[in-house]
Amino acid sequence: MIINTGGRTDTVQYFTKWLLKRFKEGYVYSRNPLFPNKVTRYDLTPDNVDVVMFCSKNYEPILDELPNIINRFHTYFHYTITAYGKDIEPGVPSIAKSIETLKKLSAIVGKQRVAWRYDPVLLTDKYTVKVHMETFEYLAKELSPYVDRCIFSFVEMYKKLETNMPELIPLTEIDKETLTNGLGEIAKKNELYIQTCGTNGDYSKQGIHSSGCMTLKMVGKANEISFRDLKHKGMREGCHCMESRDIGAYDTCLNGCKYCYANKRPEKAFENFKLHDPDSPLFLGHIKETDVIMQGNQKSFLVTKHK
């Protein structure tokens, strides 16, 4: 099975101690977000986990411990660095600091295991198409020698964005065409593999590859392992990723990104943070008497055995 550590929250940046202890103790409990009394237990051991997928906007807190993890598990790392400042991503380090940390990460785990995420792409009066092109060109030049690929997506117009980001300017098809032309051209100039995420749109004419940011082919090549031929179920419309299990929790990320889909509102995340115990096998709180604990199905997708 595939373990995902960062789909619901930035576990690496804010919950590093908890995550490291889960790996050390070799198991984790995950509460079902739709049925809160149902808890699934997953073994966090190389024999039961094919790959650990990381996604974060700041790997600095875990860098020193990563050698212990990559020596035991197959891994892949998504690092999100965008054009936005504190006005949109208040908890995220500066671009300069993020570049520095990504280079350190790449030196530890190898560039073949690192994907730079430039998403979501959105427009405001401040973050225009011109700003995106200038920032992306700077980042591509800095990061292309240290990453396996670049993954981008256009912002999804969730209803709550009307409240959280009233300054958001809806993307037109002309905007998307201009942006993809520019991104594709910059990526080509910097010999950077670029692809979309969560879209069925075809931008192959711009040199942009199709969606699927957690595919068996991508992760297998990065770790020199082989998977069985399985259908990629995806997580939502337009997603072409393989099936994974997230061990985090919604409404807990302290980055405070205004476009975030995983937080209802930033205040809720800070309220929930008070419930987090680094020593608990659950991300939030502790097991209750009314909880029903089930062992998760951890069937391997691999053809070859673990290292």
Side-chain angles (χ1 to χ4, degrees):
M1 71 170 292
I2 312 297
I3 286 289
N4 188 332
T5 71
R8 296 174 179 172
T9 189
D10 198 331
T11 313
V12 167
Q13 180 166 197
Y14 297 107
F15 307 96
T16 307
K17 183 178 178 181
W18 176 84
L19 185 61
L20 292 174
K21 187 158 188 177
R22 291 302 93 226
F23 282 124
K24 182 179 180 180
E25 295 190 351
Y27 76 100
V28 66
Y29 288 147
S30 179
R31 191 176 294 281
N32 190 311
L34 299 178
F35 304 96
N37 69 314
K38 293 185 178 181
V39 176
T40 304
R41 184 189 192 279
Y42 296 115
D43 292 321
L44 293 184
T45 62
D47 288 337
N48 291 288
V49 175
D50 295 332
V51 179
V52 180
M53 301 292 300
F54 293 86
C55 187
S56 178
K57 294 179 178 177
N58 182 12
Y59 280 90
E60 187 68 35
I62 204 172
L63 288 179
D64 291 342
E65 299 296 332
L66 279 180
N68 296 328
I69 296 174
I70 63 175
N71 286 337
R72 296 180 61 215
F73 294 92
H74 301 302
T75 53
Y76 200 85
F77 301 82
H78 290 253
Y79 202 138
T80 302
I81 306 178
T82 68
Y84 314 122
K86 298 291 185 181
D87 54 329
I88 291 184
E89 298 176 339
V92 178
S94 67
I95 289 177
K97 180 61 177 175
S98 296
I99 291 173
E100 178 186 335
T101 304
L102 184 144
K103 291 179 179 179
K104 291 179 182 177
L105 172 69
S106 182
I108 295 169
V109 307
K111 66 172 288 184
Q112 76 279 4
R113 295 187 195 177
V114 181
W116 162 39
R117 298 193 68 104
Y118 187 82
D119 63 351
V121 176
L122 56 84
L123 297 180
T124 68
D125 287 337
K126 179 178 179 180
Y127 299 102
T128 61
V129 171
K130 182 174 182 290
V131 169
H132 277 293
M133 292 299 96
E134 291 173 348
T135 308
F136 186 80
E137 184 158 26
Y138 168 67
L139 287 170
K141 183 178 180 181
E142 287 286 329
L143 300 179
S144 57
Y146 302 94
V147 298
D148 174 54
R149 65 189 61 212
C150 175
I151 302 167
F152 80 95
S153 66
F154 295 117
V155 67
E156 291 194 33
M157 298 300 291
Y158 294 102
K159 186 172 179 59
K160 62 184 174 184
L161 282 186
E162 297 175 8
T163 302
N164 294 347
M165 278 199 80
E167 71 270 35
L168 198 64
I169 299 173
L171 284 159
T172 66
E173 289 305 312
I174 293 177
D175 291 329
K176 290 182 180 180
E177 183 177 357
T178 303
L179 284 162
T180 51
N181 282 336
L183 296 176
E185 182 179 339
I186 292 168
K188 182 179 180 180
K189 183 169 65 175
N190 288 277
E191 299 182 346
L192 176 66
Y193 184 101
I194 186 169
Q195 66 171 86
T196 55
C197 171
T199 178
N200 289 321
D202 182 6
Y203 302 106
S204 56
K205 291 181 179 179
Q206 291 93 325
I208 296 171
H209 300 267
S210 57
S211 290
C213 56
M214 285 197 304
T215 65
L216 299 177
K217 180 179 179 181
M218 181 179 82
V219 177
K221 181 180 178 182
N223 290 277
E224 297 182 343
I225 52 178
S226 299
F227 291 96
R228 291 182 285 116
D229 187 17
L230 300 171
K231 182 179 180 181
H232 287 59
K233 297 182 178 180
M235 302 294 288
R236 63 187 187 279
E237 178 65 27
C239 179
H240 304 283
C241 294
M242 57 190 174
E243 180 182 353
S244 65
R245 293 291 180 267
D246 199 299
I247 59 175
Y250 293 112
D251 291 313
T252 59
C253 186
L254 304 184
N255 280 329
C257 302
K258 296 178 75 172
Y259 53 75
C260 182
Y261 68 88
N263 280 355
K264 293 185 177 68
R265 52 188 177 85
E267 297 80 10
K268 183 67 174 176
F270 284 91
E271 292 170 10
N272 282 336
F273 186 76
K274 299 174 184 177
L275 304 175
H276 177 73
D277 179 358
D279 294 321
S280 172
L282 268 175
F283 194 85
L284 290 181
H286 301 83
I287 295 295
K288 305 173 184 177
E289 291 184 2
T290 54
D291 287 335
V292 177
I293 302 176
M294 302 168 290
Q295 179 63 38
N297 180 6
Q298 296 188 242
K299 188 174 182 180
S300 177
F301 299 157
L302 290 173
V303 170
T304 56
K305 294 182 179 180
H306 284 282
K307 58 183 178 181

